[in-house]
């Protein structure tokens, strides 16, 4: 089926007005000269007698470079077919996410005189992506980040050589709490401690639940002395509070450790875990700093090899 030019233009108008996509045309400078009615959602009104705003005027500052590159490529005649995601500035001044694809417009002589672009709303897709990200990296019980997120953040700090410390906490006698009061109460204990960490730590500190009763905190740009003071207050405050958990009122304590973030993931975690072992072995409800390597190799003359491993697992 063939359409006349007028019929094709009418069909284009019908499609443009019945879709949530924004279809627009720019001149060689990138100024919008025609657009479908959806562009009104961005606060743009097109007057045929006046050159419209530049395409980049509806793009948030953070994405202008990427959109400008895509527009320049289209005006240069490139037919990449790539979509560029960007936040657009809407009437209510919030970022509304779109993806854009642009193609060159050619006259009868094959000379580019502008670009035709499609802007497609991807707000819903972005929301779903954010929800998936949160589900992947969030502990559902405490709403803290999980072990996968902790590992990723620690790797980033090591890769960027960001100075700081790693703290680890373990709720004391957590298995006993579960057996005596039930798992529901145990879950309440975890939430109580997670809330305490949120309240007492700084906004830059990154808190994760990394195991059953274990928590890790990354303290960026923090010296061991500063980390010791911060984490000691957490341990002491928890011990001083008699928490109401479910229908029970009980004393909850935690053991903690601090290690400086080093040049490898395994070494950093190993030093923090070994310091946590010392905190538990010395009676719990205390904070231990990482030990010099010579001391680390001999935590107890009577404990070595498999015996040390068994002792650590039982704490």
């Amino acid at each position: 089926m063939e359409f006349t030019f007028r019929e094709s233009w009418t069909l284009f108008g019908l499609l443009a007005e019945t879709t949530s996509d924004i279809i627009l045309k720019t001149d060689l400078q990138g100024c919008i000269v025609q657009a479908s009615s959806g562009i009104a959602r961005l606060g743009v009104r097109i007057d045929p007698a006046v050159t419209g705003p530049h395409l980049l005027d509806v793009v948030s500052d953070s994405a202008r470079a990427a959109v400008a590159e895509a527009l320049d490529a289209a005006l240069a005649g490139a037919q990449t077919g790539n979509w560029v995601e960007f936040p657009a500035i809407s009437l209510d001044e919030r970022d509304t996410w779109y993806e854009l694809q642009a193609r060159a417009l050619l006259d009868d002589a094959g000379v580019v005189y502008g670009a035709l672009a499609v802007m497609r709303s991807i707000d819903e897709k972005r929301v779903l992506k954010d929800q998936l990200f949160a589900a992947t990296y969030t502990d559902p019980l405490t709403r803290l980040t999980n072990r996968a997120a902790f590992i990723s953040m620690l790797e980033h700090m090591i890769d960027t050589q960001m100075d700081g410390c790693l703290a680890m906490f373990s709720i004391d006698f957590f298995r006993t709490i579960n057996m005596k009061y039930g798992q529901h109460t145990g879950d309440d204990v975890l939430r109580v401690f997670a809330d305490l960490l949120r309240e007492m730590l700084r906004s830059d500190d990154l808190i994760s639940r990394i195991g059953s009763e274990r928590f890790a905190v990354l303290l960026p740009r923090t010296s061991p002395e500063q980390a010791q003071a911060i984490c000691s207050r957490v341990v002491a405050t928890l011990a001083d509070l008699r928490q109401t958990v479910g229908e029970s009122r009980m004393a909850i304590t935690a053991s903690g450790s601090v290690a400086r973030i080093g040049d490898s993931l395994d070494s950093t975690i190993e030093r923090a875990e070994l310091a946590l072992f010392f905190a538990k072995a010395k009676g719990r409800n205390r904070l231990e700093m990482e030990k010099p390597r010579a001391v680390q190799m001999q935590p107890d003359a009577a404990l070595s090899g498999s015996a040390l491993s068994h002792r650590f697992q039982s704490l």
Side-chain angles (χ1 to χ4, degrees):
M1 180 182 296
E2 295 184 0
F3 293 96
T4 65
F5 174 80
R6 186 176 298 276
E7 289 170 339
S8 297
W9 184 253
T10 301
L11 178 61
F12 166 78
L14 287 172
L15 293 173
E17 300 306 322
T18 57
T19 178
S20 60
D21 295 350
I22 299 172
I23 302 173
L24 57 87
K25 184 173 76 172
T26 77
D27 60 17
L28 286 172
Q29 284 69 48
C31 293
I32 301 172
V33 294
Q34 283 181 295
S36 59
S37 61
I39 202 167
R41 295 193 298 271
L42 303 179
V44 177
R45 303 288 178 182
I46 302 299
D47 183 348
V50 181
T51 301
H54 197 280
L55 175 61
L56 297 183
D57 290 341
V58 302
V59 179
S60 291
D61 292 343
S62 61
R64 285 190 174 185
V67 174
E69 183 178 348
L71 180 61
D72 290 343
L75 292 172
Q79 304 289 343
T80 63
N82 294 332
W83 291 88
V84 179
E85 294 188 4
F86 68 95
I89 303 171
S90 60
L91 279 173
D92 58 6
E93 297 184 350
R94 73 178 183 89
D95 287 346
T96 305
W97 281 86
Y98 285 84
E99 59 183 3
L100 175 141
Q101 187 182 86
R103 295 286 181 90
L105 290 170
L106 308 176
D107 61 19
D108 292 339
V111 178
V112 176
Y113 65 90
L116 188 66
V118 177
M119 288 174 53
R120 180 166 297 156
S121 174
I122 56 170
D123 258 355
E124 185 176 345
K125 184 172 78 171
R126 295 282 302 195
V127 169
L128 291 174
K129 185 185 295 185
D130 290 344
Q131 289 174 343
L132 178 61
F133 180 86
T136 302
Y137 291 105
T138 302
D139 171 51
L141 179 65
T142 62
R143 308 310 299 168
L144 297 173
T145 52
N146 60 18
R147 184 177 181 84
F150 158 70
I151 294 296
S152 178
M153 292 184 290
L154 178 55
E155 285 179 333
H156 173 73
M157 290 182 66
I158 292 171
D159 290 343
T160 58
Q161 298 183 335
M162 184 186 298
D163 192 24
C165 290
L166 164 62
M168 285 189 176
F169 296 94
S170 177
I171 297 173
D172 295 330
F173 305 108
F174 185 69
R175 293 179 185 175
T176 302
I177 293 172
N178 270 336
M179 288 188 291
K180 183 175 180 179
Y181 298 100
Q183 186 173 345
H184 181 74
T185 298
D187 289 346
D188 286 340
V189 168
L190 293 171
R191 282 189 284 261
V192 165
F193 187 60
D195 289 342
L196 180 68
L197 290 174
R198 287 190 185 95
E199 290 178 12
M200 298 200 64
L201 295 174
R202 306 162 304 176
S203 59
D204 289 344
D205 299 333
L206 307 169
I207 313 168
S208 305
R209 181 188 175 201
I210 60 171
S212 174
E213 80 291 358
R214 301 182 72 191
F215 297 79
V217 181
L218 296 173
L219 300 103
R221 295 172 290 275
T222 305
S223 69
E225 293 74 22
Q226 291 170 324
Q228 182 178 21
I230 294 168
C231 296
S232 292
R233 285 197 297 270
V234 171
V235 172
T237 301
L238 182 65
D240 289 342
L241 296 176
R242 193 165 183 84
Q243 303 285 345
T244 299
V245 181
E247 298 179 355
S248 305
R249 189 163 178 79
M250 64 179 71
I252 306 170
T253 63
S255 302
S257 66
V258 171
R260 192 160 204 157
I261 295 175
D263 56 2
S264 79
L265 180 77
D266 291 343
S267 170
T268 301
I269 293 176
E270 180 184 347
R271 286 182 283 108
E273 286 184 334
L274 191 54
L276 183 60
F277 164 80
F278 275 102
K280 286 179 171 289
K282 291 182 178 181
R284 298 179 171 85
N285 188 27
R286 60 184 294 123
L287 181 81
E288 283 290 318
M289 303 297 290
E290 65 174 321
K291 297 292 189 294
R293 178 162 291 276
V295 177
Q296 288 184 21
M297 298 303 292
Q298 299 176 356
D300 190 325
L303 290 175
S304 61
S306 59
L308 175 59
S309 176
H310 176 75
R311 174 77 176 273
F312 186 79
Q313 292 297 325
S314 66
L315 293 175

